[in-house]
Amino acid sequence: MRGLGKWRTKPFGGLPSPAIVVAIIALVVALSGTGYAATTLVSSGAPAAKSTRGKAGPRGRTGRTGPRGATGPAGPQGARGPRGSTGPSGVTGLTGPRGATGSSGVVGEITVVAPTTVGNGTFGSAVATCPSGYEAIGGGVDLNNVLTMVVTESTPRIAGNRPIGMAAGQYGPATAWQGAAVNNGPTPQSIAVTAICAPTH
């Protein structure tokens, strides 16, 4: 301080320069153990510059998937959607196996023949029966030898019975025709009973 006082007592021709003033103040601050004033004054009173933000570092690794949560409650039923368009036609299926042949249908009048053999000197008969769905509308007996044979019966059968013994009245249609003959010849002869059948009405 002695030297400082000696310097200040020297006469000057004018005011000291700013650089000298700053140097003196910095020296005083340094001698007092603080550097703040000198630093502030040296920077001409400008505030300290703000530090800039550093660039972002690399992205870290993705963590492990957590455990699956519990199933939530069922939501409400949605509204019914519109009807879809008709789909394309399917392929044609395979042809099935042929069925069994059915029974013959009723086609009109038919004739049923029932032949039989009559021994010599004996009597013989036969019945021509119409198929189901038909009725007998007529019939007759044909002889193999008209010279030695005689027709003894030619009649319809009603419900399987001969009309003889039935009471007078109306009955259902006949279903067959019965015929009989006697053979007076020395050898066996044949007869044929015929029934004419028509569809039942």
Side-chain angles (χ1 to χ4, degrees), residues 5-82:
K6 184 178 181 179
W7 177 81
R8 291 180 61 182
T9 59
K10 290 182 66 176
F12 290 93
L15 294 174
S17 65
I20 295 175
V21 175
V22 171
I24 294 173
I25 294 174
L27 179 62
V28 172
V29 173
L31 292 175
S32 64
T34 237
Y36 174 79
T39 304
T40 304
L41 290 174
V42 170
S43 63
S44 302
K50 295 183 180 180
S51 61
T52 59
R53 184 176 182 179
K55 62 181 179 179
R59 184 175 182 178
R61 294 181 300 175
T62 302
R64 293 182 299 176
T65 302
R68 183 175 181 178
T71 303
Q77 183 176 356
R80 184 175 181 178

Side-chain angles (χ1 to χ4, degrees), residues 61-124:
R61 294 181 300 175
T62 302
R64 293 182 299 176
T65 302
R68 183 175 181 178
T71 303
Q77 183 176 356
R80 184 175 181 178
R83 182 176 181 178
S85 57
T86 302
S89 299
V91 297
T92 303
L94 300 176
T95 302
R98 183 175 182 177
T101 303
S103 58
S104 300
V106 177
V107 295
E109 293 183 2
I110 59 174
T111 301
V112 178
V113 178
T116 189
T117 301
V118 180
N120 56 307
T122 61
F123 165 86

Side-chain angles (χ1 to χ4, degrees), residues 105-114 127-140 155-157 173-178 193-201:
V106 177
V107 295
E109 293 183 2
I110 59 174
T111 301
V112 178
V113 178
V127 178
T129 303
C130 296
S132 177
Y134 287 83
E135 60 185 62
I137 60 173
T155 182
R157 293 180 69 94
T175 56
W177 199 272
Q178 180 173 322
V193 179
T194 302
I196 300 172
C197 305
T200 303
H201 296 294

